[in-house]
Amino acid sequence: MSRIARNSVKIPAETTCKFENFVLSAKGKFGEISLNINPLFRIELKENEILVVPENDKDNSNPIWGTIRAHVANIVKGVSEGFEKTLELNGTGYRASISGTKLKLQVGFSHDINFEVPKEVKVVCPKPNIIKLTSPNKELLGAVAANIRSYRKPEPFKGKGIKYSDEFIFRKEGKKK
């Protein structure tokens, strides 16, 4: 039995939500997102909250219930506040810059990497070694950040590579004579 799924999701003041044909749509100041809901569950919209309710009593123990509630909460938070991830480039000569919709990465290869950023994700480089990603879609934001990080993952000896700002790199000791 899910405990988190029984909790309601609060809707902020400037956000509107509607549920039709098993599709939940949320619209706020950061954009509009829709989510397909499993037919085993329905969404009940009240004045300023959303409840995810199973259609049958036997689905009270279904683990999808909590997952759907978490996705609904992420959508509501995304359109009202948005999500942000920060990446750091550590290494000599490692830098990033933006030109149009492409993120240009110089991370120690013989060539530059041109990463095409999706329209829903906004990229800002306040410093040459910092990349800030913002988006209302948490799933897409995490996927884009993971793709950028995959070009040069941080290595444990010197810590060189692309890492999340809140990530801790466990450092290893080098060779001994």
Side-chain angles (χ1 to χ4, degrees), residues 66-123:
T67 305
I68 290 174
R69 190 258 177 211
H71 285 305
V72 169
N74 286 339
I75 284 178
V76 171
K77 184 178 179 193
V79 296
S80 62
E81 300 172 23
F83 294 101
E84 181 179 283
K85 283 200 183 265
T86 305
L87 298 171
E88 294 177 1
L89 282 73
N90 295 327
T92 306
Y94 286 18
R95 58 182 152 263
S97 61
I98 302 163
S99 58
T101 62
K102 293 196 184 281
L103 177 66
K104 183 178 173 185
L105 297 170
Q106 296 172 337
V107 286
F109 295 119
S110 61
H111 59 283
D112 296 345
I113 296 168
N114 292 320
F115 181 77
E116 185 69 36
V117 180
K119 290 184 287 189
E120 297 86 14
V121 179
K122 294 182 183 82
V123 179

Side-chain angles (χ1 to χ4, degrees), residues 40-69:
L40 298 174
F41 301 93
R42 70 178 187 280
I43 303 291
E44 290 183 1
L45 296 169
K46 298 194 176 170
E47 292 176 15
N48 61 349
E49 64 183 12
I50 300 173
L51 283 169
V52 179
V53 181
E55 289 285 344
N56 300 326
D57 289 338
K58 66 177 184 162
D59 290 326
N60 280 347
S61 61
N62 196 336
I64 298 173
W65 188 15
T67 305
I68 290 174
R69 190 258 177 211

Side-chain angles (χ1 to χ4, degrees), residues 124-137:
V124 178
C125 292
K127 293 182 180 177
N129 64 336
I130 294 177
I131 304 169
K132 286 195 176 203
L133 306 166
T134 56
S135 175
N137 190 339

